[in-house]
Amino acid sequence: MAQPTFSTHLGMVDILPDEVGKWQTIERIVREEAKKFNFEEIRTPIMEQTELIARGVGQLTDIVSKEMFAFQRGDDHYVLRPECTAPVARAFVEHHLEQRGGTQNLYYIGPMFRAEKPQKGRQRQFHQFGAEIIGADAPAADVDIIALMMAIYERLGITNTTLKINSVGDPESRKNYTDALTDYFRPHLSQLSDISQKRFENNPLRILDSKEPEDQPFIEDAPVITDYLTEETSAHYEQVKELLTDLNISFEEDPHLVRGLDYYTRTAFELISPDLGAQDALGGGGRYDLLIEEVGGSPTPAVGFAAGIERLLIACEELDIELVEEEMLDVYIVTLGAKARRWALRHLPKLRSAGLSASMDYIGRSIKAQMKDADRENARHTIIVGENELNEGKFTLRNMKKSEEDTYTFDEILNRLAADVPEVHNSVT
Ligand code: HAM
């Protein structure tokens, strides 16, 4: 085969026709579950102002400092969105969505972009589904958002997961904790990795997120934030845990869970899968009570999650979860001659209007080649049309699966096939 002249960029992949069915199943299930939980879809542009993402996600995060696909046109600074929470917060403020009344329960599905080093489960263009509840600070909202995330995985049959939760505190708890962490790490500073030494200056909390081996022993013994929570935040966290228990959602507390985005306050969580390898987070999220204000709105509490679709597909593969049943074509019209092809083109719409999938040969191949094509397309039936059939008004209808055939008028064929219009085939229901 010839070498292609062009290819996709590193870490960006085509989703080819043989793969698309799986994506459609996942998207359908996300939409159905979101609807059950009373969430509405929101779609925002894939490009945002760089300043929004820098402010929203945090100037010092890896995402903003190292992984942005950003460019300038005239005076405008664009960035391909690395995540969708800041864009949804922007849309909420820009369009005064609070005026719709109640909490805004919103979900999205779409591509995100981060210039990370590609590896299994980590791409530069990847896809997330996610959901946000904007306008509620009660623990019930944290728990409903986690329940939605879990419902989607359960529906797909992915149940061997671990939900990790933590409270990353409100600003006052965080200040106390940061002071404690600074005191703790200072004497060990020279033994920490370069990256952690830098984080020590800017944001010591992020040291806990380090994957560098030399940092691990120090992280293990570090003070935990839950010892520094204010009474109110501690009570909020306790209630989240109680309500999760009420719903039989099991969780593990991980006092070192900090997450890689700066907007989190109070509840933070991650869903981990043993089937993913190094990139083991299926999804994650938490509360971000200060973000709406940070992007120009009035103080509005909010909580949400997002999950990677590529990682979900890896988990499904590891667990042998079939997302799509074999695709079948209901009818393939086999033609002999130009007149028959013209007849077929005229009759395809009638089959399709009756709810059947139907196709034909466009280019006048031999009957044998067309029958082979019908097989390749996994056709249930063929209709065979030649000069004689056109003269008599009767056509051969062949059941390809049973290798049986008989002759009928077109109307008879239509009635027979339409009576048996197959359901949409998906093994996950
Ligand atoms: P995140 O933890 O950065 O959170 O991303 C959520 C999920 O997206 C990850 O758990 C992972 O499954 C997937 N993901 C992230 N980066 C990549 C990548 N490079 N390749 C493949 N998959 C990836 C957020 O994005 C927050 N906006 C979540 C949130 C919503 N918090 C509150 N509301």
Side-chain angles (χ1 to χ4, degrees):
M1 269 184 281
Q3 278 295 319
T5 312
F6 300 108
S7 61
T8 55
H9 280 298
L10 179 73
M12 303 193 177
V13 301
D14 295 313
I15 301 165
L16 297 173
D18 286 343
E19 295 293 314
V20 158
K22 297 181 195 170
W23 287 77
Q24 289 172 341
T25 301
I26 289 170
E27 287 161 9
R28 176 175 59 77
I29 285 173
V30 169
R31 287 178 203 292
E32 287 172 6
E33 291 304 312
K35 193 167 172 46
K36 287 191 211 163
F37 278 74
N38 196 28
F39 279 64
E40 296 171 284
E41 185 175 357
I42 182 163
R43 300 184 189 197
T44 61
I46 59 165
M47 285 200 248
E48 291 284 349
Q49 285 177 269
T50 306
E51 181 62 18
L52 167 78
I53 301 298
R55 266 218 242 163
V57 173
Q59 201 66 256
L60 299 173
T61 57
D62 285 354
I63 295 179
V64 171
S65 63
K66 295 194 268 189
E67 298 167 359
M68 300 244 272
F69 284 103
F71 64 97
Q72 192 175 352
R73 253 182 90 86
D75 290 335
D76 295 324
H77 294 263
Y78 296 82
V79 63
L80 291 177
R81 63 182 185 192
E83 59 100 55
C84 212
T85 306
V88 169
R90 188 228 3 101
F92 175 88
V93 174
E94 184 175 346
H95 304 288
H96 306 284
L97 294 186
E98 73 285 352
Q99 288 179 3
R100 301 171 82 225
T103 60
Q104 299 306 305
N105 293 16
L106 306 169
Y107 79 94
Y108 47 85
I109 304 175
M112 310 292 156
F113 304 84
R114 297 182 192 175
E116 297 188 85
K117 195 159 169 236
Q119 63 180 84
K120 183 179 170 197
R122 198 206 258 164
Q123 293 176 188
R124 291 186 159 190
Q125 175 175 338
F126 60 100
H127 298 77
Q128 285 184 342
F129 57 88
E132 319 285 349
I133 299 177
I134 304 179
D137 90 336
D142 308 48
V143 171
D144 212 28
I145 208 86
I146 293 175
L148 169 57
M149 178 177 79
M150 301 305 286
I152 293 167
Y153 290 100
E154 197 155 302
R155 183 84 187 272
L156 288 159
I158 300 175
T159 50
N160 62 338
T161 53
T162 306
L163 175 66
K164 292 197 171 174
I165 68 165
N166 190 22
S167 175
V168 295
D170 55 281
E172 191 188 332
S173 321
R174 197 94 65 99
K175 163 98 186 46
N176 297 340
Y177 180 53
T178 308
D179 290 346
L181 268 187
T182 313
D183 290 345
Y184 168 78
F185 280 122
R186 183 167 292 122
H188 309 295
L189 200 54
S190 59
Q191 291 154 280
L192 295 181
S193 65
D194 288 351
I195 181 161
S196 288
Q197 293 192 20
K198 235 182 245 147
R199 284 174 174 171
F200 180 83
E201 299 299 330
N202 302 324
N203 185 359
L205 217 71
R206 294 287 325 286
I207 298 178
L208 303 177
D209 218 15
S210 159
K211 301 277 180 284
E212 306 299 319
E214 64 264 47
D215 295 337
Q216 300 313 312
F218 300 106
I219 292 174
E220 253 163 53
D221 295 336
V224 291
I225 189 159
T226 30
D227 292 337
Y228 294 84
L229 297 179
T230 58
E231 213 168 291
E232 207 187 332
T233 293
S234 180
H236 190 278
Y237 186 42
E238 288 308 314
Q239 278 185 51
V240 168
K241 290 186 282 180
E242 270 172 38
L243 296 177
L244 284 173
T245 310
D246 277 359
L247 291 190
N248 282 328
I249 298 178
S250 38
F251 57 86
E252 254 177 36
E253 283 185 73
D254 178 354
H256 289 147
L257 178 71
V258 284
R259 312 239 330 110
L261 305 102
D262 279 353
Y263 48 62
Y264 291 110
T265 50
R266 303 199 267 183
T267 316
F269 57 87
E270 244 165 38
L271 190 67
I272 306 296
S273 160
D275 301 307
L276 291 179
Q279 301 302 317
D280 63 355
L282 278 171
R287 189 160 268 296
Y288 50 94
D289 293 336
L290 306 174
L291 178 63
I292 303 283
E293 204 178 346
E294 182 65 40
V295 301
S298 2
T300 311
V303 62
F305 82 91
I309 299 184
E310 285 81 1
R311 293 192 192 173
L312 173 53
L313 285 167
I314 294 173
C316 287
E317 198 147 296
E318 291 293 329
L319 297 167
D320 279 332
I321 295 170
E322 286 281 330
L323 291 171
V324 192
E325 265 188 13
E326 203 182 10
E327 288 280 334
M328 289 190 119
L329 177 69
D330 294 320
V331 191
Y332 187 108
I333 308 184
V334 175
T335 55
L336 186 64
K339 241 168 120 182
R341 275 205 303 286
R342 195 160 167 189
W343 180 95
L345 197 59
R346 265 202 334 271
H347 285 75
L348 281 176
K350 298 181 188 179
L351 294 162
R352 292 167 179 162
S353 300
L356 297 153
S357 56
S359 185
M360 64 178 282
D361 167 63
Y362 304 122
I363 53 178
R365 282 177 286 191
S366 70
I367 297 259
K368 197 171 154 207
Q370 289 183 55
M371 290 307 278
K372 225 170 131 186
D373 204 30
D375 259 341
R376 192 186 49 76
E377 295 286 354
N378 210 4
R380 291 172 207 276
H381 297 94
T382 46
I383 301 174
I384 299 157
V385 187
E387 191 88 10
N388 288 346
E389 284 83 355
L390 287 177
N391 290 338
E392 284 167 26
K394 288 209 158 178
F395 310 90
T396 304
L397 176 68
R398 182 173 174 80
N399 184 321
M400 300 289 282
K401 302 298 158 191
K402 297 188 184 152
S403 298
E404 290 167 2
E405 57 183 48
D406 217 331
T407 55
Y408 305 97
T409 66
F410 178 75
D411 286 345
E412 284 167 348
I413 291 177
L414 194 58
N415 287 338
R416 288 179 82 89
L417 298 184
D420 198 21
V421 174
E423 302 278 326
V424 176
H425 312 286
N426 274 311
S427 57
V428 179
T429 52

